Amino acid sequence: MQPARLEVQDGASSRVVFVSGEALTIGHAADCDVVLAPSWIAPVHARLVLVAGAHHVIAEGGARVLLGGAIVDDAVLHDGDVVRLSDPATAALATLVYRNPQAPPIAPMHHFATPPGKALLTIGRADADIVLDQPLVSRRHAELVWEGGRHVLRDRGSRHGTWVNGSPVRSPRPLSPGDEVQIGTFRLTYDGDSLDSFDQHGCIRLDARALRRVVGDKVILDDTTLSIEPCEFVGIVGASGSGKSTLMMALCGFHRASSGRVAINGDDLYAGYDAYRSIVGYVPQDDILHRSLTVARALHHAARLRLPADTAEPEIETRIAHVLDAVEMTAHRDKRVDDLSGGQRKRVSIACELLADPLLLFLAEPTSGLDPGLERKLMHTLRRLADGGRTVVLITHATANIRVCDHIAFLVAGKLVYFGPPSQALDFFAVDDFADIYAATDGSAPGATPAATATRWQERYQGSLQHESYVVARPARAPAAPSHAQKAEKERRARTFALSRWRQLAILCRRYVELIAADRRNLALLLIQAPVIGLLLVLVSNDHGLTGNRIDAKKLVFMLATTGVWFGVINSAREICKEAPILRRERLAGLRAGPYLASKALVLFALVLVQSALLLGVLALRVKMPTDGVVAPAWLEIYATIALAGLAGVGLGLAVSAVASTPDKATSLIPIVLVPQVVLSGVMFALHGVTAAVSWLISARAAVDALSATADTNHLPLLIPMPDEPQYAHTPRVLLVAWAVLVAQSLFFGAVAWLALKRPRL
């Protein structure tokens, strides 16, 4: 029988200390049983005490001790538990892994009594007899009823379903001792008079086999195999262009490898991606929060999109408070995101991902641009998240705090040249500092090329003990196929993943209105342009600009038509591309392109309605409106035409924004789409042949037709005789066809934007 032992990792050194006797002291003092070198360690930081056959870890004198990522004062240890001694000032860590095959089995997280004879027990996320606090659990999820001398389980129409022994509960299901009930990520074992719950956090294993990605004829990721076990913190390291992002995107399924396989607990991630995306969190290098909102409001909207529809406001607030506490950002919840430092924004982005409680967390260079202190703090925050039950993978160039990772994967020219503990990497590369690994593998030696250097290091690694332990032995322990419970959980997620389109639309509209209102300066500029343009038109027009003579009326009609289109284009041309990182992440989390695009169009059209009213209101202060319209009062028809021209402009602007990759490129495209509104409107130049056909895509042309019909320009006096223009006839047909064309153009440009958004752009 092996005695209990501690695997101690203290900086670069590691050792094994056997636990004997009833107590063991841990600290900086020389007379401690386990002496730790860092000066921040207290003289006696913690004790290991044997109580009733179980070892307890006890913090001494207020020293900080973490177990499972949480601060503890006195906790029972189980085989494999990781204890971290932490310095609150610097976030530095010392690690002790408790090994004891004879340790007591892990107790259930919760024990719920289900006494025979009790008529009804409700199960749900809140306000229930059995509370399972997790986003995949509905507020009123299931109930346990005593019928005919036994417990019967009923699902109450929950969004994510109730399962017994891997089968969905579609009708009342009698329970027998030993049955396993699955609700959300909880597994509840029924023994006749109780349910014991085990949250499945910390159970996610990721295995990648022979991942290869080829672009054209270039191999950018070459046959990479590695395994990441539950609760591990893994860093992907390498020079720029070494394939780090390619490997991460392949691991998380966002941009799949050309060949190879990625498995979650033995199940193919790529084949079942829709079922697993809800447990995958991804934080890109760019911020994924709207900067004009406060931290709390930004997280609130994200929570609405990611949490179940029945999540109540108090639950959302509780969840936000929990994730902010997890990343130590509670004190900043009421600050605007753009008032935070770079490191704080990174941590809030991580908090945003934690809202849905992902079990796999991927981060793309979260430490980029941070000073050494913030970098250390963020790395230790991620360490705590991994200890708390998540598997964390990040890309990083920084190596100062790489030792807090369990393993690092070092890539050179698309090849995996090392995967293993960071403490063994220096010996493998024969260097004294992690930064020197870059120099040793950059291929700058005389006569060497990056590809040849990468191949040489890859071959060396394949003959090493690290390769045998972490690339050969680890995957051999992976499950060959998913378990029965894993298949059931996958099916449950696949059936009930995303919010409905209408709910997404409502949430996105509220958020977009709040975003526009938060940017008061930009909103003021958008609103003031309408009366300014109206004032200019008043200054250059006479009192009878629309009713005096045909030439003056056509000038004013042309300006009103093109101004309406310009309102829409200018309002919308940057609105999608400026939040591309946010949209990309939300699309990966299940946001549909249709509701997103519709929310932009609806809110921007409301803004156009206000602008059109301001423009026409200022103009009407001097310019007399026509007496009679075609089908309604003339002023109402003119307003409707300007607004519909603006709607078509919104569609055109959204198409530009969806196609452009950056706001600067969208700005460059604005003249290209606005100049044709002038040239092909039918006023400045005659339209015939090809130009007449193309003009059906020009919103200003349809608006000119409608406004001319309302103003009845054909019957206005002329200084020089001219024939009537039938396209401007004062008839319902001309007006309604022009309006229909504007609506059709809005839908057409919206479809172009929708197709552009559907393209994968990761």
Side-chain angles (χ1 to χ4, degrees), residues 26-29 32 36 38-46 60-61 63:
I26 305 166
H28 185 68
C32 285
L36 300 177
S39 58
W40 54 265
I41 294 286
V44 179
H45 202 105
E60 287 291 316

Side-chain angles (χ1 to χ4, degrees), residues 101 176 203 206 331 361 392 442 589 594 628 661-662 675 687 707 738:
S176 301
C203 297
L206 193 67
L361 185 60
V392 180
D442 65 2
D628 298 313
S661 57
T662 65
V675 169
L687 302 176
L707 290 171

Side-chain angles (χ1 to χ4, degrees), residues 559-572 608 641-642 644-650 652-653 673-674 677 698-701 703 742 745:
M559 287 305 303
L560 291 175
T562 54
T563 298
V565 178
W566 291 0
F567 281 159
V569 171
I570 292 171
N571 290 352
S572 59
V608 165
T641 301
I642 297 172
L644 288 175
L647 177 62
V650 167
L652 180 58
V673 299
L674 287 184
Q677 304 294 327
I698 303 302
S699 305
R701 181 258 165 95
L742 289 171
Q745 288 174 347

